Each structure stands twice: as structure tokens, then as C-alpha cells.
């Protein structure tokens, strides 16, 4: 099954320029985390999103800041795309008091309600019902917000996904499920975990509209997502967006791991050339909307921001030990 | 101070629970109920009856049979400002939802360094009798009480059912509210109006220097019966109804044991690894030297609940066993203990072992 | 959605005569339990299957004794249709030592591996993976048996159903899921719990073949089930049989309860006239395969068996109290 | 009797676990492994490495991320004669499967009056350090130990990892086998061959009349270190590695406390409502009069595990805290305690608080 292609005008392409920058920013941040991980100052597991940036950016571009997304262990890109504070993210990875969870969460717990990343959780599929619950709350409180649930292909194996989908459909909640199918759960291929059939059927079984999109095509993602957001805001209920993509680095950690045997170099390369960042850059360059000079400026600007963020994290104080037992109860 | 008209309001605990929810729903538009059967004609043993007619299905939400997912949904709604009350007709059903309860309900406030709150009440009901069997009768308070971030409440009286439930709904934290099915039938004075109680721990429900008896929920009622019978026989004991198992406040119990020198703890669930072990451990840590004799724990024996009532005799701790243990600790004479125990056994004999009351005739 | 009709020959009709008797037997047993429940000697919840007998009988007729089924709280009909011992069932309801679980289980725990009812469990959907696991065991041990999972419409809401279906499909296990859709979970209608779409889609989403059958038509059930059993035995993997039916009595207990307000007398009557027992009797009578005299003989024979079973249960000893703590560990 | 060649076999606990499974798979065709990652290149921290190559994917079964369903599937397969070993990379993931574990694995033998058996081993790993955080580090043995019908094993040494795992696989019952992640790195002598050990409870791993120290898993190793340092300072203590938490055998501990008069219990999980409470309660019930001082419990404080190591200091009980507590109970002088505690602190200081060993550098 190949996803539906989307065609676009020059005007729409122009809108993509800032989104390209957003993708590039995330890529550069993640690469920096990977580079610095060996310093052993970020002492928590890190699940990098390199290769999957288009989904985070394309999805969040269709949202308002007041809309709330929930995410998983692989949440950096979602947090950043939704407008989370870079300083607070890096500080969280450093375990500092200025982290978005005060250092208590680490890289798998990036929370920022203000930016609309309600939470991310390390237990597979555990945040799915939380997102549906947020949508339920919005509906009951008469608030116009939409909830977005980012989930991985393995989440679809957890029963709680289905329980959540059933309820979302039954109550026509304003929630959009965004499934990033990167073919793997840790080192286990989809085919070893699920029968062969389109993943969209899992949503459709619950009466949920589903669309299958090339997850490395930011433009297609934005297009489909915008439609789904409109439907959610118009009380037309939940949608499911299936986005094919690929994780470049190891499941957890800063390295390439194509050599360890769970996937082939060929498979990796086939996806590598479909790099979401390069693809959009090529497109923008062809349309004269981007060039090497702009790229250099962007890189430099982002690097300045990144350097500042790491400096911020390094300079921030650790939380004080005496606070360890505080805040268990509200 | 309750006035005269209030002290005359006699309700069953089920009615008191219904009243608490009604008041909370009326007071705060963010409060809603969710559970399998909340809208049905039986209304969760009468504790939700009439609410859907009054507040509509938007606030009294019938639930698919999907405990884990719906718990997460309740949590998510709480994070955006709602105040869900979730209901399970049996504690056992909540076993499906422990990932959500332990990880997301209990820890999100802490992990967020205080930014998030999960004001969620989860009512769950302990089944007993009439062949409920192994998977419809578990009293798992020990498990919930082990988890930091949860509050755990087990009311024993109609007044507490109302007041502590209102307190739980007002609380900014996840509260596991465990109701024994047989408590639902208990009648007692319940103050009118919106009268939340703080979730603040044990209450002394009988006084005496003979021994200290600590119990929860239905076992607190059995303990009070035991203390009354012992008192008739001339032996007075302190009885504590724990009410709140987490956060755990043991100061009044420590004070009592210092005075009585004897401790009997009764678990509603299994004794091994039960809540009572924590009480005994705290007493041993805090006032070992005051214990004149080894503490006594009563609780369920180490096997699942059989369905047949033939295997039920002695399965649940009862007032006579409590009286025997406490009487002994209090130094009562054999005759005194006998008198109390036989009075209690006579009382018990009026109802079959698997019925909460003589009127009960199944099917659940 | 209406299920596919099945046509049948006279020869096939003749085969149905013993199955008619089996249905009648279950009906009569359940009615007797209902009648005697008020005596308060069966002191456990009872979930009667009156109105749903065709499914149990039609499904089990396609199975061998060595095939293993698993069931739910509403398990009497499955136990009996699979060849469970009536005496041991009634004794179990009486809490006697001669019960199929020695009185420890009560009516929601009817176990008889010998007859091929591996177990029944009172937690909704809890036995679904057990049945899949039995199929997995059969496959791994190279045994030719088939596993059957009886489940209610509400089970489909539990995540564990999906987790089980996914695994069964992925490993092409010899298991058949039989869903009795009686429209209610306790007093809650399907429409209050799930969105509107065919329930078969829930199985198809996992790549499982699904068929929708009139659950009060024994002949149709047997036909479809036989096909599914063949496929399972031929290593063609799992199937899902959706059977529409209706529970006549209250969810739990011996009474009619159409007056309490969760369903209408009209709805009940519409299903009442589709009684699976009467329908088959009419068909057999029209074909000359059945008549009033045979009916009377059958009734009398069954009643003799029932009376003996209740006598057996009443006469059996309770388990001895000293055994209460025995057998926690093997 | 192990011969000389055997006593020279030094393995890590991870290797010992791998060896046990290999032997069990080779011996009984009904044994199979199932878990997320059992076939992957990392092989569950190396504990399943190479097995899929040897036994094939029919017996080393890669699992979808669906813990509850797959637990039920394992149980169903056990009921028809298989002997599944299920593996969770974290204890926390098993929270999703408690309905199946508590109701079906634990109770089916009892409910069937002995007709059914569920020979199922569930390995689950406790995470610690390197920012594992609130939902990847829980040590929930107290919860499993509360349930009749389950057996609960927590090995501390490579030899026990092998022997008790073989014993668990041979057992006819569901066994929860909790491995601390840091134990995987521990090296020790492991006998060759098929050498199952009975699941028979505590083992004394140090001897002395000063005090009785009771611990499990990694805490037993910390306790032994503490006892060694105290011994250097002239104070000898009994240390018990519990090994099997359920069924619970406390006779050797009772005998010890009668002799030492002092008890320190260390929980791997939260102290409140933890396994240690049960030990203290049993000691108070059995030999109250022998306790010369209040028993001491160590364990995790009442909050979730923070990810940052800045909040980790003192979170996990360590050898120095154990030595301080036991030394005091043993009547050691301040100088003796100081000597032991500072030796232990020096030792500790070589490795960062969030690393099992200096070589460890993430990411999990
Ligand atoms: C309930 C549970 N089981 C297992 C894990 C271990 N685990 C962490 S991430 C992961 C893979 C998830 O795969 P997917 O959902 O596809 O997300 P991806 O890593 O590919 O982004 C697993 C199995 C977990 N965190 N939670
Ligand atoms: C996990 C769980 N939740 C709730 C219940 C209470 N309960 C018992 S039977 C039942 C309804 C099941 O409906 P369905 O599966 O359609 O079967 P039916 O009763 O209609 O045969 C419910 C909700 C339960 N036993 N287990
Ligand atoms: Mg993936
Ligand atoms: Mg139904």
C-alpha cells in the first residue's frame, strides 16, 4: 500500500519555508544531543527522532498553541515542534532544576502545557488514553481545542490503544491519532509483531477516519493534518493519520546501529535517501525558495540557539536534594 | 456542630455515597461520574441512582468495559480541569487499570514538579459472600497503599462515606476509595448539606485501656462489635477505624498502644503482606517497649476466596475472633472472653455466613 | 447489516435433530436453575443463557471433544454443549465437593478439560488470551486440536481482546473467536458503549476472517463453524464468528426484567419470536422430523436427568472446611 | 558436592540466567521463551543471546508489545502442557498484566481444586540509575508477594540466578522472578550442568550474633558489604538473603533474631507497605521478647523515582546506611560504626550514584 500523493502550489510551498527551518532545527538539536551524549552529562535514556522530523513539524503546524498533544518515549521532536522551550528540554536531559519537569522526568517526560505538549510518557501506549481524556475534557468544558496523540507502530499492539479509540469514536471526540510507523519496536520488525494488513484498518475498525501519508513528506502531512484538525474542531470526531517513516539511529542512544543485525544497511539507505529534511530542501531550492546561503545562515542561527541551550543547561543548578520528597501530593 | 435535625438523618451508606456525589455534581460543573452501570437501573448498588436523570449522560458517563483505557481517559480529563469520579463494581476490575493508576495518576504531579494535578476519585467495591468467588471479592488495599502519590480511603460508616467521599472529590490528588459491599447496607446518622471531611486518618470509635484494635471498613464494624461485647464483659479497648490508609497517620495508634500495651490489627484483605503488616511494623518501630505481648494480626488466610460457603467459615475475621484476641491481650479472664465471644457468636448466627443481612437473597 | 442466510437439505436437517435435543436440554436445565434459584441453595451469581442456546450447540457440534473451548461468566450453555457433566455443573452451583471445581468456582468457573471446556472466567475478556494460548500450545506441540473462545459483545471493548487477536493472526493459530452479540453488557446497550460499525471489522482489522451469522439459527451456525474449524485444522489461522442473539432473562439472576427500564418489552418480543429452540422445532416439524410426541418424550427424559442432577447436587457433601487452604500450590 | 572444576566457573548473573534457560530449553521441549526483545541483538541484556539461533523462533518467541494479552496466552499454553518463560525488560511493564497474573496464573490451580496447573515463569527486571525515572525503576515485589498462588523469587547471586531460575522453571506454579538490573553484572561461581535449586527461602550469607540483617536481591549484596565492613571493625552480624519472598519461610530469621536481639530489614522497593513490613510483623509476632531494640526498616522513601541523579542521594539504601543501623543494634561503639561506614563510603565513592559500575555509560 502506498500513501496518496499530494500536489502543491508555489504559494503553499512558500508556507513551508518556516516549517523547513523548524525541521532543520530539530535535526540539528538531535544531532547535537547525539554528539554530546558521550560526555555523560545527559544521564538518561535518549530516543532520538532523526529521520522522523517531518511528522512532528507537519502535524504541529496544523495546530494552535492551545491544542494539546501527548507523546511517547520518543518525544523530543514533538516537544520542540509544538513550541516547547529548548532550554527547558536540554536542562531536563541534564537533570537540572530548570528542566521542563525540574529534572524529575528526564528525556521521556517532556511536559509543557503552555506550549501544548501536555505530557510524554515512557510506557508504550500509556499516553494514548491521556490524550483522549484531554479531548473529552475539552468537549465537556466546551473548549475549542483539539488533542493530538503521537504514537508509535508498537503502540497499536497495546490493548489500551483500542480502548481509547473505541471511546474516542463513540463520543466523537476532537482527537487526532498520529501513528509514526518506523517499522520497528526497539529491534523488532513490524512483521514479527503483527499480521500483514494495513495499519489504518485498526482505526477504521473503530469507525475512525484514517489516512495513510508519506511520513517524510512534510507537505502531505500538513495537508492531511489540517483537514483532520478542521474536522475535529467541527465536532466531526476523531481521525487517524498513519505516517510511514524511519528512525536513523539506534532505538535508544546516540549511535548508528545498522551493523548489529536487526536491519540491513540497504533498508537504511533506502530510507536515508528519503530524508524528510533534504527532500523539502530540494523542493524549495528547485522553486527558488531556498539556497545554500540561506541554509548556512539558518545553521548558524540554530547553532547559536543550541549552544545557548546547552550552556543554559550546564549552568543551571541541580534541584536541591532536600526537595526530593516534596510535591508527592498537591 | 451538627444540630438536632441533622443527627436524625439516618441513611444507608449507599444513600450517603449517592448524596455526596449529587452534592459534588451540583456544586462543581467539572465533576463527572464514569463507570460501567452508572446510568443503568441498578445504579451501582443504588449509589448512582437518579443521577443521570438529573445531570444527563454528559456528566454521568456510561463506560465501555475497558478499565485501563478509561482510567487513562479520566486522568487526561483531570489534567485539563475536569474532576472525574470513576467507579468499578469490584476492586478486581481495577487490576486491569493499575498501569494508569500507579504510573500516571499517582506520579504525574510529582514528576511534573507540581505543574500537573490529577484530581481523580476511583471508587471500587469489595465483593463478599453469595459465592462471589476468587475474582469478585478481592480487597486489595495493601497494593494501592504501597504507591506514593495515591491516597487510599476505606470508609466504614455512612457519615464517613459521605464526608470522606466529598473530601476525596475536593482533593487535588488521585484517591482510591474502597467501599466494602456490605458497608453499603449499614445505616447511620449522616449530616445534611455539603460536609466534606479531611482525609486525615484514624478515628477512635471505642475507648479503653485494655488493648488497641486497628481495623478498616467492614472490619472496623466487626471490631466495634467485639469491643462492645468485651465492654459488656468488663473489658474496655481502644478501637481505631483507620479510614485513610495512605497517607498513613499512626500517631493516635502509637499513643494508644503506649497506654494499652496490646495491639490487634485486622486486615480486610490477605494478612500476608497486608496493610496490617505496615501497622505492626510501625508500632514495633515506634513503641516496641510498650508492647506487653506480641501484636496479633487477623486477616484473610493465604488462599483465594472459594465460591462455596462451606469453605468460608473462618475465612473472614469476625467479631468473635477479634474479641478473643483483644480480650487475651487485655488480660481478660477466660470467663470474660467466653462471655464476649459467645454473645457475638449468637449475634452472628442469625445471619448466614455468606449474606450481609437476612434480607439478602442474591444474585449478587 | 443482516447476516448471510444459509439454505439446507433434508439430509442436513436430520443431522440437526440431536442438536435440537441438545438445545432443548440446555433450555430446560437453565429454566430449572431459574425456578430453583429462590430456594437459596445455589448461592452464587448465575448468568443464564436462555435465548442464546443455539450458539453454544451449533459451535460445539462442529468440534471434537479434544478441542478446547474457553468461556465467560455466562458459561452454562457452553459447558453443557461441549459435553460437560451436568451433575458436576449443578453440584458446582450448589458449592459441593462433587462440583466440576469442587465448589470453589461457582457458576462462573466451569472447568472440564476432559470435555474440552478448558475454563470459564468471570472477568470480562480474561479468558480470551487463555484460549489463544491453548491454540498456541496445540500448534507448538503439534497437536491437531482447535481452540474456541466464547466471548460477549462487551469483551470486544477490552484491550486484551485485540492483543489476543493480533497474536493469533500473526501466528496463524488454530483458534476461533465466537462472539455472542446479545446487544447488552449488563444493562448497557451496545450503542452506549461502542460507535456504530459492524463488529466484524474489529476482527478483520487484525487480518482475521470474519463471518456474521444469525445466532439464533443453529443450522447457519453449524455450517459456518464447520468451515472455520476446517480452516483452523488446516493451519489457515484464526476466524471470528459474530452471532446475533438476545438474552431473555436478567443479566444475572433468574428473573425476567423487561420492566426495569433498560430495554423495551417490544424489543424483547421481537427477539422472543426468534427463539432458537422454537425455530428449529418448527423447521423439523415441517419436515416431519419432529412432533409433539417426540417433544414430550424428550422433555420427560431431560427432566429425569435434571431431577437426578439436582438430587446428586443436594446429596453431595460440601467440601470439608479443613481443605480450604489446600491446593494453593501444585 | 560441586567439584573443583565447578567452583572455578565464574559467570556474571546475566550469563548464569542465559545458561539456565539454555539448559531448560534443551531439556524440555515444552519450555519456551516469550518476551519483547528475546530474539533481538541485545537479547534482554544478554540473557537470551544466541538462543533463537539455537532453538529457533518457534521456541524463542518475539512478542508484540501487549503484556496483558501475552501473559494470558502464556497461561493458556501452560494449561495445555507448555512451560512458558515470559520476560519483561522492566517490572513496570508487568503492571499491565496484573489481572492475568493475579487472577488466572495465581488462582487457577486452587479454583480448579488442583486439576489445572500453571507452570509459568515471569522474569521481570528492576531498572535503576542513569535516569530510569519513575516508570522504569519500580521494584514491586511487595505487590506480587501479597498474592496467594504466586511464588516470588529475587536472586542476588549468579549461582542463585541459575539455580533458582531452573527451580522456578521446574516448579508447577507461576513464579515471578524479579532480577535487579545491577545484579546482571555481578560475577560469581556458578556450578556447571543442570543444577536446579529448590525455591526454599532465606540463606544466611554472613554470620554473627550482633544483629540480624534481612535483604533481597541487590540489597542483599549491600547488606553483605555492610556486614563485612562491620566485621572488619569487630562486629559480626547475621545476614539473610531472602531469595524467595513467597511462600515465605521465616524460621531461620526468627532463630537468628532470638540470638541477636536486633533486626534490620532492607526493602528493594518502597518501605511503606513493603515486603520488609511483613518480616518485621512476623518477627514481632514470633519473638517480640527477644528484640532488644526496635527493628529498623530501610527502603525507598515515599516518592516516585526522580530521573535526575541530583535527587538520588540516599534514595536507595546503601551498605553504609545498613552498617550504621546494624552496628547500632549490635551495640557497636561509635568508633566501630564510623570505621565501617567510612570504609563503605570510600568504596562507594569510586562509582557514581547512578551507575552499576564504572564501565557503564548508558543509554540504559
Ligand atoms: C508497556 C511497555 N512495554 C515495553 C516497553 C519497552 N519499550 C520502550 S520503547 C519500545 C518500542 C516502541 O516502539 P514504537 O511504539 O514503534 O515506537 P518507536 O520506538 O519506534 O518510536 C518498547 C517496546 C515500554 N516502555 N512499555
Ligand atoms: C473486567 C470486568 N469488568 C466488568 C465486569 C462486570 N461484568 C460482568 S458481566 C459484564 C457484561 C459483559 O457483557 P458481554 O461481554 O456482552 O456478555 P453478556 O453478559 O452479554 O453475555 C460485566 C460488565 C467484569 N466481570 N469484568
Ligand atoms: Mg516504531
Ligand atoms: Mg452482551
Amino acid at each position: 500500500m502506498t500513501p496518496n500523493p499530494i500536489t502543491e502550489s508555489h504559494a503553499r510551498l512558500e508556507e513551508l519555508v518556516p516549517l523547513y527551518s523548524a525541521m532543520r532545527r530539530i535535526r540539528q538539536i538531535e544531532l547535537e544531543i547525539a554528539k554530546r551524549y558521550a560526555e555523560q552529562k545527559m544521564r538518561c535514556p535518549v530516543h532520538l527522532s532523526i529521520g522522523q522530523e517531518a511528522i512532528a513539524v507537519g502535524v504541529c503546524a496544523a495546530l494552535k498553541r492551545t491544542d494539546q498533544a501527548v507523546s511517547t518515549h520518543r518525544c523530543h521532536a514533538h516537544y520542540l515542534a509544538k513550541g516547547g522551550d529548548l532550554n527547558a528540554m536540554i536542562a531536563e536531559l541534564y537533570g537540572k532544576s530548570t528542566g521542563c519537569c525540574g529534572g524529575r522526568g528526564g528525556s521521556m517526560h517532556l511536559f509543557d502545557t503552555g506550549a501544548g505538549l501536555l505530557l510524554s510518557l515512557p510506557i508504550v501506549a500509556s499516553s494514548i488514553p491521556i490524550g483522549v481524556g484531554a479531548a473529552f475534557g475539552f468537549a465537556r468544558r466546551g473548549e475549542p481545542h483539539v488533542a493530538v496523540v503521537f504514537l508509535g507502530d508498537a503502540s497499536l499492539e497495546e490493548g489500551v490503544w483500542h480502548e481509547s479509540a473505541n471511546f474516542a469514536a463513540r463520543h466523537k471526540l476532537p482527537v487526532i491519532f498520529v501513528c509514526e510507523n518506523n517499522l520497528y519496536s526497539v529491534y523488532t520488525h513490524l512483521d514479527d509483531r503483527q499480521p500483514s494488513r494495513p495499519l489504518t484498518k485498526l482505526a477504521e475498525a473503530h469507525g475512525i477516519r484514517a489516512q495513510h501519508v508519506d511520513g517524510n513528506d512534510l507537505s502531505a502531512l500538513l495537508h492531511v493534518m489540517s483537514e483532520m484538525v478542521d474536522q475535529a474542531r467541527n465536532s466531526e470526531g476523531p481521525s487517524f493519520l498513519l505516517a510511514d517513516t524511519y528512525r536513523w539511529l539506534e532505538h535508544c542512544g546516540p549511535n548508528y546501529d545498522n551493523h548489529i543485525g536487526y536491519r540491513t544497511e540497504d533498508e537504511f539507505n533506502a530510507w536515508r535517501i528519503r530524508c524528510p529534511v533534504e527532500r523539502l530542501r530540494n523542493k524549495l531550492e528547485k522553486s527558488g525558495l531556498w539556497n545554500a546561503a540561506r541554509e548556512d545562515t539558518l545553521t548558524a542561527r540554530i547553532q547559536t540557539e543550541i549552544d545557548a541551550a546547552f550552556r543554559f543547561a550546564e549552568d543551571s543548578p541541580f534541584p536541591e536534594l532536600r526537595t526530593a520528597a516534596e510535591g508527592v501530593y498537591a | 456542630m451538627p444540630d438536632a435535625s441533622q443527627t436524625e438523618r439516618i441513611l444507608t451508606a449507599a444513600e450517603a455515597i449517592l448524596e455526596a456525589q449529587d452534592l459534588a455534581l451540583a456544586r462543581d460543573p467539572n465533576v463527572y461520574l464514569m463507570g460501567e452501570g452508572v446510568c443503568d437501573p441498578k445504579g451501582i448498588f443504588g449509589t448512582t441512582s437518579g443521577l443521570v436523570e438529573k445531570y444527563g449522560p454528559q456528566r454521568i458517563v456510561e463506560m465501555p468495559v475497558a478499565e485501563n483505557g478509561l482510567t487513562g481517559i479520566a486522568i487526561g480529563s483531570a489534567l485539563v480541569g475536569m474532576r472525574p469520579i470513576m467507579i468499578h463494581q469490584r476492586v478486581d476490575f481495577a487490576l486491569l487499570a493499575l498501569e494508569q493508576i500507579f504510573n500516571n495518576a499517582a506520579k504525574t504531579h510529582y514528576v511534573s514538579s507540581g505543574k500537573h494535578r490529577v484530581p481523580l476519585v476511583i471508587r471500587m467495591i469489595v465483593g463478599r459472600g453469595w459465592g462471589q468467588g476468587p475474582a469478585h471479592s478481592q480487597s486489595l488495599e495493601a497494593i494501592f497503599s504501597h504507591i506514593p502519590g495515591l491516597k487510599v480511603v476505606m470508609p466504614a460508616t455512612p457519615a464517613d462515606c459521605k464526608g470522606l467521599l466529598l473530601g476525596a472529590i475536593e482533593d487535588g490528588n488521585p484517591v482510591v476509595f474502597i467501599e466494602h459491599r456490605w458497608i453499603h447496607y449499614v445505616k447511620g446518622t449522616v449530616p445534611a448539606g455539603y460536609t466534606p471531611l479531611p482525609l486525615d486518618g484514624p478515628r477512635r470509635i471505642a475507648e479503653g485501656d485494655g488493648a488497641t484494635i486497628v481495623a478498616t471498613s467492614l472490619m472496623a464494624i466487626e471490631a466495634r462489635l467485639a469491643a462492645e461485647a468485651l465492654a459488656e464483659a468488663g473489658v474496655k479497648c481502644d478501637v481505631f477505624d483507620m479510614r485513610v490508609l495512605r497517607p498513613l497517620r499512626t500517631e493516635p495508634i502509637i499513643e494508644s498502644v503506649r497506654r494499652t500495651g496490646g495491639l490487634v490489627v485486622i486486615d480486610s484483605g490477605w494478612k500476608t503482606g497486608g496493610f496490617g503488616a505496615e501497622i505492626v511494623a510501625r508500632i514495633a518501630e515506634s513503641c516496641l517497649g510498650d508492647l506487653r505481648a506480641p501484636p496479633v494480626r487477623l486477616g484473610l488466610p493465604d488462599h483465594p476466596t472459594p465460591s462455596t460457603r462451606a469453605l468460608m467459615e473462618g475465612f473472614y475475621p469476625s467479631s468473635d475472633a477479634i474479641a478473643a484476641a483483644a480480650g487475651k491481650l487485655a488480660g481478660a479472664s477466660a470467663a470474660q472472653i467466653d462471655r464476649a465471644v459467645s454473645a457475638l457468636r449468637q449475634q452472628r448466627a442469625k445471619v448466614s455466613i455468606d449474606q450481609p443481612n437476612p434480607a439478602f437473597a442474591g444474585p449478587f
Side-chain angles (χ1 to χ4, degrees), chain A, chain B:
Chain A
M1 299 270 295
T2 44
N4 309 335
I6 309 274
T7 52
E8 56 218 340
S9 66
H10 189 82
R12 277 211 66 221
L13 268 179
E14 255 180 340
E15 285 170 34
L16 297 181
V17 172
L19 303 186
Y20 170 73
S21 305
M23 265 205 295
R24 273 282 285 100
R25 174 171 174 266
I26 293 172
R27 170 70 57 92
Q28 207 166 322
I29 293 165
E30 292 278 73
L31 285 170
E32 187 79 18
I33 293 171
K35 192 174 110 192
R36 300 214 198 190
Y37 194 71
E39 293 172 5
Q40 302 200 31
K41 289 179 182 168
M42 291 173 277
R43 294 169 87 91
C44 59
V46 285
H47 302 80
L48 302 179
S49 317
I50 295 172
Q52 310 188 190
E53 299 89 343
I55 301 169
V57 173
V59 163
C60 292
L63 297 173
K64 299 190 180 166
R65 194 168 166 88
T66 43
D67 295 327
Q68 296 286 340
V70 299
S71 178
T72 66
H73 55 289
R74 198 174 306 287
C75 54
H76 301 181
H78 307 144
Y79 173 90
L80 293 169
K82 193 63 183 62
D85 178 32
L86 176 62
N87 284 1
M89 173 175 136
I90 303 295
E92 189 63 34
L93 270 59
Y94 272 72
K96 296 301 181 76
S97 65
T98 50
C100 59
C101 281
R104 288 180 172 183
S107 96
M108 301 194 282
H109 289 95
L110 301 181
F111 299 9
D112 187 343
T113 315
L117 202 282
L118 186 60
L119 51 67
S120 50
L121 296 173
I123 296 291
V124 168
S126 186
S127 60
I128 298 176
I130 305 288
V132 173
F136 185 69
F138 297 152
R140 285 300 185 268
R141 293 162 67 87
E143 292 170 352
H145 316 317
V146 166
V148 168
V149 174
F150 286 106
L151 50 103
D153 47 295
S155 298
L156 299 175
E157 293 150 26
E158 287 284 6
V160 74
W161 139 252
H162 291 280
E163 296 178 1
S164 305
N166 175 61
F167 191 79
R170 169 61 189 77
H171 290 272
K172 281 186 165 280
L173 297 180
V175 58
I176 299 161
F177 301 100
V178 177
C179 178
E180 303 189 25
N181 179 13
N182 63 8
L183 293 175
Y184 290 89
S185 167
V186 192
Y187 309 111
T188 307
H189 194 276
L190 191 59
D191 292 346
D192 292 328
R193 299 177 279 119
Q194 301 185 25
S196 155
R197 48 80 190 91
L199 293 176
T200 44
K201 286 188 88 171
L202 293 172
E204 285 161 354
H206 298 289
I208 294 179
R209 280 182 305 274
Q211 300 253 20
H212 186 186
V213 191
D214 179 340
N216 288 1
D217 180 346
L218 189 138
S219 168
L221 286 155
L222 177 59
H223 178 81
V224 172
M225 184 66 189
S226 302
E227 215 173 82
M228 289 177 169
V229 171
D230 284 347
Q231 288 165 330
R233 276 202 229 286
N234 291 334
S235 307
E236 289 166 42
S239 307
F240 181 87
L241 192 165
L242 175 66
D244 297 338
T245 189
Y246 203 72
R247 149 175 73 70
W248 288 14
L249 301 185
E250 59 188 339
H251 166 69
C252 178
N255 304 306
Y256 285 89
D257 70 349
N258 301 321
H259 60 287
I260 69 170
Y262 71 98
R263 61 187 195 184
T264 64
E265 194 71 31
D266 282 353
E267 182 182 272
F268 171 79
N269 283 330
W271 281 94
R272 172 66 189 76
I273 56 170
R274 297 175 59 197
C275 170
V277 179
E278 284 172 21
R279 270 168 79 182
L280 186 52
R281 185 171 54 229
N282 290 342
K283 216 192 275 186
L284 295 178
E285 282 176 353
K286 272 194 206 120
S287 317
L289 289 162
W290 199 255
N291 57 37
R294 294 186 75 167
E295 181 76 8
D296 290 345
T297 317
L298 179 66
T299 305
R301 178 165 61 76
I302 294 171
Q303 196 57 39
T304 309
E305 190 197 358
I306 290 175
D307 291 344
F310 278 85
R311 216 163 28 245
F312 173 82
E314 301 232 13
D315 293 348
S316 290
F318 280 108
E320 287 182 60
L321 185 56
R322 59 162 185 79
T323 64
E326 289 174 6
V328 177
Y329 294 101
Chain B
M1 280 272 83
D3 67 25
S5 70
Q6 284 180 336
T7 54
E8 279 157 30
R9 292 182 78 240
I10 304 288
L11 301 183
T12 64
E15 290 162 345
I17 290 166
L18 175 60
E19 186 170 278
Q21 295 170 136
D22 191 358
L23 287 161
L25 285 158
R27 194 162 178 271
D28 183 347
N30 293 313
V31 170
Y32 72 99
L33 255 62
M34 176 146 75
E36 297 155 16
V38 286
C39 300
D40 82 24
K42 299 285 172 88
I44 318 278
F45 309 113
T47 64
T48 65
S49 299
L51 294 178
V52 68
E53 290 77 6
K54 191 161 169 188
Y55 299 101
Q58 297 281 310
R59 298 187 63 198
I60 312 297
V61 183
E62 197 49 71
M63 188 178 121
V65 185
E67 290 78 4
N68 196 36
L70 273 287
T71 303
I73 289 168
I75 294 167
S77 76
L79 288 174
V80 301
M82 302 296 287
R83 293 192 161 257
I85 304 172
M86 179 154 207
I87 314 177
H88 299 294
Q89 304 224 18
R90 289 288 181 281
V91 174
D92 314 67
F93 307 161
L95 280 178
L96 287 157
L98 293 191
E99 196 284 305
Q100 288 293 332
I101 299 173
F102 286 8
N103 288 337
N104 301 344
K107 303 192 199 345
T108 300
H109 181 67
Y110 181 85
V111 174
S112 71
S113 284
K115 285 178 204 154
H116 278 322
R117 287 185 178 218
V118 185
L120 162 67
V121 176
I122 312 180
R123 291 179 49 204
M124 36 184 102
I125 295 161
V126 181
R128 168 169 168 177
W130 207 263
Q132 291 295 308
H136 272 56
S137 64
Q138 291 170 91
S139 193
L140 297 171
E141 63 279 5
I143 283 175
F144 294 104
S145 304
H146 186 48
I147 307 298
L150 295 182
K151 295 193 175 185
V152 180
V153 176
M154 286 185 86
T157 66
D160 270 355
C161 281
K162 175 173 174 182
L164 292 175
L165 184 51
L166 285 173
I169 299 167
E170 264 195 5
D171 202 282
N173 299 288
V175 182
V176 172
F177 194 88
I178 303 179
E179 301 160 24
H180 196 288
R181 176 83 176 90
W182 289 17
I183 290 285
H184 281 173
Y185 300 101
V186 171
K187 286 184 186 166
T189 305
V190 177
Y194 185 79
T195 52
L197 292 171
L199 310 186
D200 69 352
R203 177 189 291 143
R204 178 153 47 205
I205 58 173
E207 288 190 36
D209 296 335
T212 304
I213 308 177
V214 177
T216 49
S217 185
L218 187 69
M219 289 300 123
I221 293 180
E222 295 279 343
R224 194 178 45 205
L225 289 175
E228 283 166 6
L230 282 173
E232 288 281 322
V235 185
K236 291 196 154 187
C237 292
D238 266 3
V239 177
F240 288 93
D241 172 3
M242 279 307 301
R243 302 166 73 247
V244 178
L245 281 65
R246 184 168 196 118
L248 179 56
R249 205 164 64 82
T250 44
E251 293 78 3
I253 297 164
I254 292 168
E255 182 281 323
S256 171
V257 172
R258 285 200 201 286
R259 197 162 23 79
T260 65
L263 175 68
V264 182
V265 183
I266 307 112
D267 265 303
S268 294
W270 288 299
K271 183 173 86 170
T272 300
F275 174 73
E278 179 65 27
I279 296 287
V280 170
R282 294 219 179 179
I283 290 299
E285 286 163 345
S286 314
C287 52
L288 183 77
D290 297 302
L291 284 169
R292 281 184 287 101
V296 175
R297 283 188 295 160
L298 302 174
L300 307 196
D302 274 339
H303 62 80
T305 316
S307 175
T308 177
R309 71 188 183 288
L311 301 179
M312 226 70 246
E313 187 68 49
F315 183 71
Y316 291 109
S318 60
S319 54
D320 52 328
I322 300 168
K328 201 164 157 221
L329 282 178
S333 68
Q336 284 175 310
I337 294 178
D338 251 27
R339 192 178 141 193
V341 166
S342 11
L344 291 165
R345 293 216 175 124
Q346 250 174 2
Q347 188 64 26
R348 276 191 74 69
K350 290 182 193 153
V351 190
S352 169
I353 192 165
D354 63 344
Q355 287 170 288
N357 56 59
F360 188 94
F364 50 30

